[in-house]
Amino acid sequence: MKIMLGITGSIAAYKAVEVLRKLVEAGAEVRVVMTRNAARFVAPLTFQALSARPVLVDEFSGWDPSSIGHIAVSEGLDCALVAPATANVIGKAAAGIGDDALSSTLLALDCPLLMAPAMNDRMYRHAATQRNLNVLRERGVRIVDPDTGPLACGAEGCGRLASPDRIVQEVLALFAPRDLSGRTVVVTAGPTREAVDAVRFLSNPSSGKMGFALARAAQARGARVRLITGPVAIDWPAGVDVRSVLSAADMHSAVMELAGDADVVIMAAAVSDFRPLQPSGRKIKKEAAPDEIRLERTADILAELGKNASGRVLVGFAAETDQVLEHARAKLKAKNLDLIIANDLNREGAGFGEDTNIVTMITRSGETTDLPLMSKDQIAAKIVDKVAEILRKQGESA
Ligand code: CTP
């Protein structure tokens, strides 16, 4: 996929570095075009190094001298994105003005365009900006709405650039097949917390990244996604219903409530297997610390879903340190799953908190697929591919 990334002169230009990194990670060939003001915030060299391509800033120098910059850069693109987009570039695009490399490129485009505005809240609310955004929307430009929160100018309001994750999600959604439309997918993510007392808990280092990547991947392919997450510190995916829970018991009841009519349940959460038998409702003082904390088992959510299999596709994870595939196969069978994703926690780049993982997918029939080191987004796309294949086969044999 060939993508043009336009960057304009907003303080949020530094976030475009992350957007570019994520697009490259997703396998895109990215051509960067910057305005001169953007180049004052972040050096073009940063984008050149990350995209491994020259960056077009000045119409009349740099880039490929044998071609006309804005025409060459706009040829053969699958999509174009301007992030951050200032009120100025939005106005120019709406009016059809081409007075620098980026605005001229926008006029020469022959592909879908996304713009992610970033500016002061009064500038964003200004009637001219709103009118320009509407003109662009009517013309089919997808606007990645800004977030509300503290702005670089010290004000608080709507105008913060959408998170790089959300921007990239909206770009990649353009390329995904919509083969899960009409399907409901429940995904669980993150750790659970089991109270020891009013201020202490048992938990694990799950970041929720794998589950969130799965929710984004399923949503991009048209599914209606319900994400049930334990406490995590990452942005919630756009367009997904999110239910946040704390304990394994909360997660259990949320899954039972939301999975009833689901076509697919993916249990990526690291659900605690134990909880303190008698948590104290108050803070236990040091002097009164017990010598031992008695634990009891929590309900195995996935096993319970497997017992009442109702044609839903059930996907589990097995994070292991030894005999990884043997344990994963045993879990697949014991919990009556359609697919299990095994990962070896000993391998570098795999496991809790990382942006990458190395996994093996095993289906009910024993078909095994090794996925080498990849980003969690790439792995999520492969898992969702496999889920779509299982649904398709179920449909054929029904
Ligand atoms: N799981 C669950 N409910 C639990 C524990 C785990 O639904 N109480 C799910 C996880 O979300 C994961 C799968 O079961 O998809 C396997 O979890 P894991 O902890 O690896 O396996 P366990 O069956 O708990 O076995 P063990 O801890 O002994 O390895």
Side-chain angles (χ1 to χ4, degrees):
M1 76 198 140
K2 294 190 174 67
I3 299 174
M4 189 279 289
L5 170 61
I7 304 165
T8 63
S10 150
I11 178 67
Y14 76 92
K15 294 189 189 166
V17 176
E18 190 67 5
V19 171
L20 171 58
R21 203 181 58 78
K22 285 176 185 285
L23 289 173
V24 170
E25 216 173 77
E29 172 191 317
V30 187
R31 305 172 191 167
V32 176
V33 182
M34 301 175 78
T35 62
R36 280 189 203 91
N37 282 341
R40 296 173 70 178
F41 282 101
V42 185
L45 190 57
T46 306
F47 297 100
Q48 182 182 309
L50 283 172
S51 67
R53 282 188 174 70
V55 170
L56 181 64
V57 183
D58 191 330
E59 267 293 68
F60 305 107
S61 66
W63 225 62
D64 177 1
S66 65
S67 60
I68 298 172
H70 63 274
I71 301 298
V73 88
S74 61
E75 248 145 40
L77 288 175
D78 296 302
C79 119
L81 162 72
V82 183
T86 55
N88 187 43
V89 79
I90 289 168
K92 284 204 263 184
I97 294 171
D99 64 352
D100 64 2
L102 179 59
S103 52
S104 306
T105 304
L106 295 181
L107 280 173
L109 289 179
D110 184 20
C111 64
L113 169 63
L114 291 97
M115 294 183 100
M119 66 198 76
N120 162 277
D121 61 326
R122 289 199 303 279
M123 293 172 77
Y124 180 66
R125 281 188 279 111
H126 194 285
T129 308
Q130 289 301 317
R131 187 184 150 275
N132 291 334
L133 285 169
N134 282 335
V135 167
L136 293 172
R137 281 192 190 98
E138 275 162 27
R139 229 181 261 156
V141 176
R142 292 170 179 78
I143 305 298
V144 186
D145 291 329
D147 286 335
T148 300
L151 304 169
C153 52
E156 177 95 18
C158 187
R160 263 165 77 100
L161 182 70
S163 70
D165 270 338
R166 183 148 70 85
I167 295 171
V168 172
Q169 180 189 346
E170 295 209 18
V171 171
L172 297 183
L174 292 177
F175 298 93
R178 309 285 291 174
D179 52 357
L180 291 183
S181 65
R183 302 289 194 173
T184 299
V185 177
V186 170
V187 181
T188 66
T192 63
R193 283 184 188 172
E194 311 304 322
V196 172
D197 69 7
V199 295
R200 302 179 179 94
F201 54 81
L202 297 180
S203 192
N204 60 65
S206 167
S207 62
K209 286 178 185 169
M210 193 64 241
F212 276 53
L214 283 160
R216 287 195 294 270
Q219 201 259 349
R221 289 168 73 147
R224 181 167 165 229
V225 180
R226 300 171 183 156
L227 173 63
I228 303 168
T229 178
V232 294
I234 45 179
D235 288 335
W236 289 6
V240 164
D241 291 332
V242 186
R243 170 84 62 94
S244 87
V245 296
L246 269 184
S247 66
D250 298 340
M251 184 162 283
H252 177 267
S253 39
V255 172
M256 294 309 153
E257 179 192 332
L258 299 175
D261 61 347
D263 300 285
V264 181
V265 180
I266 307 179
M267 285 289 304
V271 186
S272 179
D273 289 322
F274 312 99
R275 68 171 153 246
L277 186 57
Q278 283 172 322
S280 163
R282 321 167 71 146
K283 181 181 173 190
I284 302 173
K285 299 302 287 176
K286 277 202 282 297
E287 300 74 44
D291 292 334
E292 56 185 36
I293 298 172
R294 298 204 48 209
L295 302 173
E296 64 178 345
R297 292 278 298 272
T298 58
D300 188 323
I301 306 170
L302 198 49
E304 197 172 318
L305 291 172
K307 272 194 204 114
N308 312 312
S310 56
R312 277 185 290 252
V313 173
L314 276 189
V315 183
F317 275 73
E320 308 285 348
T321 50
D322 343 73
Q323 295 170 292
V324 179
L325 296 187
E326 288 81 345
H327 283 310
R329 283 194 190 99
K331 280 179 192 173
L332 174 110
K333 199 149 186 265
K335 301 192 188 198
N336 192 18
L337 308 180
D338 297 283
L339 180 65
I340 195 153
I341 318 301
N343 75 316
D344 182 344
L345 295 176
N346 295 323
R347 295 180 70 176
E348 181 119 354
F352 291 130
E354 303 267 358
D355 285 323
T356 54
N357 212 346
I358 306 165
V359 303
T360 302
M361 300 196 285
I362 309 171
T363 63
R364 188 188 282 279
S365 62
E367 184 197 314
T368 301
T369 317
D370 286 322
L371 300 180
L373 182 74
M374 306 182 184
S375 73
K376 287 187 172 169
D377 279 318
Q378 287 170 315
I379 291 180
K382 300 275 183 206
I383 295 172
V384 172
D385 274 347
K386 189 53 87 184
V387 166
E389 182 189 316
I390 295 170
L391 282 168
R392 216 169 28 245
K393 283 190 184 150
Q394 274 184 355
E396 283 161 12
S397 63

